[in-house]
């Protein structure tokens, strides 16, 4: 089956540093990937849609300069949290849409970010 | 803004009981998916429903898509502690920008 790999699974960083999270589709190509943020026991909140070869589309209220997204290839999208602060601590999840099955999204295992 | 209401938000039951989770919208879905998520992990796809009135079964789980494709339900028979988790419905609306809209989730706890 389709697999999406997300790395790292857990990261702790100091306030003011930047953190990069990778999302890879392992056995299929994904023109479109999505980045979500999730607070404990809550649903997923879409942050942005990552489009291969073009700029990401950010949801209202999400700072594009804070959350940099790069989708450089059909199998890799990265999310960089710049100048992280404690309020950025959260669970970040990516997903990739399989091109031949456009209404199916496969999710990564998530990244737990803790900013001290 | 399209809303996807999921209920109940929290559910705690004893092993062996049955339960139903509901997912409702005022708009029509082109497809709807159900996911289960465990703490510290990403959502895992359980099922996709596309046709109005469709019923799909996955062992003790029964998924139903409303005739008008505006609602869906997940029924679990004889729940087990291993069913504990966050259940999420997510819909792709007809004519949408091709991105899933998630329900608020149902946190299910099955007590032994």
């Amino acid at each position: 089956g389709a697999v999406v790999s997300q790395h790292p699974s857990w990261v702790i960083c100091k306030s003011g540093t930047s953190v990069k999270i990778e999302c890879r589709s392992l056995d299929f190509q994904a023109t479109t990937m999505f980045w979500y943020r999730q607070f404990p026991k809550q649903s997923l909140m879409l942050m942005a849609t990552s489009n291969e070869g073009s700029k990401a589309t950010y949801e209202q209220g999400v700072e594009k300069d804070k959350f940099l997204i790069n989708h450089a290839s059909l199998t890799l999208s990265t999310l960089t949290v710049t100048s992280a602060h404690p309020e950025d601590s959260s669970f970040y999840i990516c997903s990739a849409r399989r091109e031949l099955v456009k209404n199916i999204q496969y999710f990564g295992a998530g990244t737990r970010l803790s900013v001290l | 803004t399209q809303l996807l209401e999921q209920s109940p938000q929290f559910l705690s039951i004893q092993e062996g009981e049955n339960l139903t989770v509901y997912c409702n919208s005022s708009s029509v879905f082109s497809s709807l998916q159900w996911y289960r998520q465990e703490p510290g992990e990403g959502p895992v796809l359980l099922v996709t429903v596309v046709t109005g009135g469709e019923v799909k079964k996955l062992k003790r789980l029964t998924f139903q898509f409303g005739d008008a494709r505006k609602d869906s339900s997940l029924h679990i028979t004889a729940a087990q502690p291993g069913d504990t988790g966050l259940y999420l419905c997510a819909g792709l609306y007809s004519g949408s920008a091709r991105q899933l809209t998630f329900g608020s989730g149902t946190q299910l706890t099955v007590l032994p």
Side-chain angles (χ1 to χ4, degrees), chain A residues 38 43 97 103-105 108-109, chain B residues 33 35 37 42 48 98 102-103:
Chain A
Q38 186 179 32
S43 188
R97 182 162 60 205
N103 59 345
I104 301 294
Q105 287 180 214
Chain B
Q33 299 173 11
Y35 294 85
Q37 184 183 22
T48 299
R98 303 164 66 210
F102 277 87

Side-chain angles (χ1 to χ4, degrees), chain A residues 24-99:
Chain A
R24 295 179 184 273
S25 56
L26 296 185
D27 59 354
F28 65 97
Q29 293 183 331
T31 302
T32 306
M33 292 186 177
F34 303 91
W35 288 96
Y36 296 85
R37 184 171 181 176
Q38 186 179 32
F39 294 103
K41 297 190 177 180
Q42 293 187 22
S43 188
L44 280 66
M45 180 185 74
L46 180 65
M47 299 174 65
T49 301
S50 172
N51 304 296
E52 188 269 335
S54 64
K55 292 182 179 180
T57 304
Y58 290 82
E59 295 301 301
Q60 190 173 8
V62 178
E63 299 176 58
K64 58 183 67 177
D65 294 331
K66 173 76 170 176
F67 299 99
L68 298 179
I69 291 173
N70 183 276
H71 195 154
S73 77
L74 287 172
T75 59
L76 174 64
S77 175
T78 60
L79 168 67
T80 301
V81 183
T82 62
S83 186
H85 291 286
E87 58 266 30
D88 298 323
S89 299
S90 190
F91 193 54
Y92 293 88
I93 305 173
C94 73
S95 76
R97 182 162 60 205
R98 192 162 189 168
E99 286 307 300

Side-chain angles (χ1 to χ4, degrees), chain B residues 29-99:
Chain B
F29 298 111
S30 59
S31 67
L32 186 139
Q33 299 173 11
W34 284 93
Y35 294 85
R36 178 168 164 264
Q37 184 183 22
E38 297 195 29
E41 299 182 9
V44 175
L45 179 66
L46 297 174
V47 77
T48 299
V49 286
V50 178
T51 305
E54 184 176 5
V55 177
K56 284 191 174 181
K57 291 191 175 183
L58 184 64
K59 296 185 181 178
R60 294 175 294 100
L61 278 60
T62 301
F63 305 87
Q64 188 161 6
F65 202 15
D67 291 340
R69 291 188 291 139
K70 292 184 178 181
D71 58 274
S72 182
S73 64
L74 158 61
H75 183 79
I76 301 179
T77 304
Q80 299 177 359
D83 295 327
T84 295
L86 179 67
Y87 289 82
L88 296 159
C89 64
L92 192 65
Y93 286 100
S94 299
S96 77
R98 303 164 66 210
Q99 63 194 36

